[in-house]
Amino acid sequence: MLEFQDAQRIILEHAAPTPVETVDIARALGRVLAQDMASDAQIPVSDNSAMDGFAVRAADVADAAQNSPVRLAVLETIAAGAVPTQSVAPGQCSRIMTGAVMPRGADAVVMIEDTDPDGDAHVLIRKPVSEGKPNVRYAGEDVAQGETVLRAGRVLRAADLGMLAATGHPTAPVARRPVVGILSTGDEIITPDQPLTVGKVRNSNSYSLIGQILAANATPLPLGIAADTPGAVEAALKAAAEKCDIILTSGGVSMGDFDEVKKTIETHGELIFWQVRMKPGKPLTFGKINGAPVVGLPGNPVSVMVGFEVFVRPALMKMMGASELHKPRYKGVLDEDVRMRIGKRLVVVRAIATLKDDGYHLNTTGPQGSGILSSMVLANCLAFVDAAAEPPKKGTSLEFFFLD
Ligand code: AMP
Ligand code: MG
């Protein structure tokens, strides 16, 4: 039986990168950037006004006040997108709109609210430029020309799509989404549309996994339900190996008479490990069929989802070249005793983290059996109890990560 860390490391070692493809940035949310991206220009490209108002020489209006305004000649009106035609000399200014290019000679903008018109060609300035607030956005203050704005390995977020657009990249090179096969096994498993009769179980695992795979920005490929026979499992796995970057199976990896997944990998592929010192998910199996990695998740609905979060999601992130494979971890204090047999192995607790004045607090989602899917529905996080002998008591601090 492997320690959790070793099992995770081995699966990651077998996660091969997917090829790079170019996508429209409008469709790139959540994709992993495959190259460093630099800006073709400085941003802003030129000094421009942060306000609607008058572009002035700050020294001209230093003594301006509400009751003794400074009178300036207005040269022109500069709209956003236009190029100023005149230089501002002492005693002069230009009317300017937000985002419009600053005219030469001017070093500040007085906002329109602090001015009054004086005939067609003059303006009364009623306030000096405040210290350190010239209302000018300077060329290059956001991004320098040639600057790397996003690094390879980044999972693209909303602001990143905007930054790519701003820096002249209508498309971006990203890792192809891994195609993740999902094979459920079990003679008792029926489809969700079928009536639930005695002894049967509706296939929930395929759907939980579809959701988790989509949330990881990979492509799920549901492969149906294989019967608990060596032939059915072998045929399904070999067919899956042709079209998947990685295959996930559910069920059939325990010690039962009809548990065929592990046996099939052993006989027709390469069994890399079986069993991990953790709960839930102990019989987790890892191997290869015709070169394709297969993660044999134990069939219980919680084991499937926990196994995905701790083993498969990081592997998918590695396949996509992400620089951060794991979700950020936080610490929270248990508000109740954890009631379960744990033994010396990693225990993954389904929990609800709540932010209070003194940090995060954790409550379990009730019964923690590996068949209790409601414990995942209620959970907003997974909390980790490291190989302790006794279940943790109220007040113990645990590490956790959020599910979403
Ligand atoms: P197994 O690992 O095949 O022994 O399955 C363990 C438990 O998980 C059994 O109670 C199965 O009925 C259940 N199970 C297996 N596959 C699924 C599935 N696709 N959806 C929901 N439950 C399942
Ligand atoms: Mg089974």
Side-chain angles (χ1 to χ4, degrees), residues 27-112:
R27 308 196 141 271
L29 188 72
R31 304 297 295 273
V32 181
L33 198 58
Q35 280 169 26
D36 290 354
M37 301 299 274
S39 182
D40 64 347
Q42 60 177 348
I43 301 175
V45 70
S46 47
D47 293 352
N48 67 88
S49 177
M51 293 283 174
D52 294 322
F54 291 85
V56 301
R57 302 166 73 98
D60 277 2
V61 300
D63 297 329
Q66 193 61 34
N67 299 325
S68 59
V70 171
R71 187 168 177 268
L72 297 176
V74 181
L75 295 172
E76 62 176 333
T77 296
I78 312 165
V83 177
T85 62
Q86 304 191 57
S87 253
V88 174
Q92 299 179 328
C93 67
S94 284
R95 202 174 161 82
I96 193 165
M97 307 299 136
T98 303
V101 177
M102 285 293 284
R104 267 203 311 253
D107 55 12
V109 173
V110 176
M111 63 178 179
I112 200 129

Side-chain angles (χ1 to χ4, degrees), residues 179-204:
V179 175
V180 187
I182 306 168
L183 181 68
S184 281
T185 71
D187 289 343
E188 77 282 29
I189 308 302
I190 57 174
T191 54
D193 56 317
Q194 290 180 279
L196 193 57
T197 51
V198 175
K200 300 294 181 189
V201 174
R202 289 199 182 109
N203 177 13
S204 62

Side-chain angles (χ1 to χ4, degrees), residues 38-45 140 142-147 149 166-169:
S39 182
D40 64 347
Q42 60 177 348
I43 301 175
V45 70
D142 187 358
V143 177
Q145 181 168 21
E147 181 182 334
V149 286
T167 53
H169 300 287

